[in-house]
Amino acid sequence: MAIILVTGGAGFIGSHACLRLLETGNEIISLDSYVNSSKNVFKAINKICELKGINHELIKIYECDILDKKSVEDIFQNSINNNKEIQGVIHFAGLKSVKESEANPHKYWEVNFGGTLNLLKVMKNFNCRKLVFSSSATIYGETNKFPIAEDSQIKPINPYGKTKAAVEQLLLDIYNSEPNKWSITNLRYFNPVGSHHSGLIGEDPKGVPNNLFPIICKVANGEIEKLEIYGCDWPTIDGTGIRDYIHIEDLVEGHKKALELMFSEKKTSYRCINLGCGHGVSVLEMVKTFEKANNCRIKKVFEPRREGDVAKTYADISLAKKILGWKPKRSLYDVCKDGWKWAKTNPNGY
Ligand code: NAD
Ligand code: UDP
């Protein structure tokens, strides 16, 4: 049991992480500006807690921009004043659209890098030195070697991925500056998808979604007429792109394990760990599984390849298994069932 600051706690991954940490007896402080999320997520979290008999008063919510250092300091100070000193941080807050990062790199460097720098300065001032950081598989360069292990070349090709790689570098420098004090884990996510099995919380992208799974849900509920499949001529089993889709509940379990490890071990650590399901799934396989799980038809059409796409990517997850004692438990079928449960009952999000 610990007191954990979750930055970006209202977001897709952050909200599922808050819930899981509450379920396992931790106290949560959420910091979010709601630039890409809604405060209403906390009503849904409260509802799930009530249904499960979990004390939802153990979550404290702050509206705060991570770029506003003084406000971040106030959160740390308040927690001390309330005798609830923050012991560790999971840092989700950030911007995540590759496309937007190409159009507006300033914003991405400012929020993703500058925001993290602020957080780290405040953490150091308040003597809080346990951090789990949301990194991404986009930091890996193009490769022919699969599955992708953590020691693959780091060579991001877009500003979003570059900010994530730069933060990892910054975190390594910070760890090395006080190696006996900091414990840092960079979790490199592949493709997080699906929703909590209750269907009460899920992904609520603002604007038009770009990612496959939310688009399939919008085709299923008739909001989008058909799925445009970007490429039928990739060098893959069926010509469509292959990715490593991981159920959101498995992903956040990885965070819980990473925190538990940090709090249980005597030594400090700096680690980079992939979180994925460990195998590749094609667009057509995803569509077929969704249709089967939800007894529906997804209208689709083949379009040219999308700029910047790669044929395939999937993770080597042996390090997560070995170090965290973690492995994904949910199938692609669960992803499709749980994800649709949320999307069909909340077509307009929160
Ligand atoms: P999300 O947009 O749903 O959540 C991010 C949260 O951060 C949002 O609630 C947003 O309002 C908040 N935020 C953004 N800028 C902020 C700021 N300046 N101050 C305070 N809060 C701010 O995204 P997500 O999918 O939950 O992703 C969480 C993290 O995981 C991000 O850092 C993202 O880059 C990383 N990640 C996500 C994926 C993915 O596919 N979802 C993959 C790899 C890595
Ligand atoms: N994709 C697609 N149609 C869409 C969105 C995505 O065919 O409308 C494909 C995309 O080309 C890729 C896979 O689905 O092969 C996953 O795309 P997503 O954007 O979800 O993840 P990323 O490519 O960022 O890993």
Side-chain angles (χ1 to χ4, degrees), residues 191 210-212 215 228-230 241 243 245 283 306 309:
N191 292 59
N210 290 312
N211 297 113
L212 180 66
I215 291 176
E228 297 183 342
I229 298 182
Y230 300 136
R243 297 290 182 274
Y245 299 98
V283 176
R306 181 172 67 176
D309 264 0

Side-chain angles (χ1 to χ4, degrees), residues 335-349:
V335 161
C336 293
K337 203 133 196 89
D338 296 341
W340 175 234
K341 193 171 182 182
W342 152 259
K344 112 180 132 187
T345 42
N346 301 274
N348 302 314

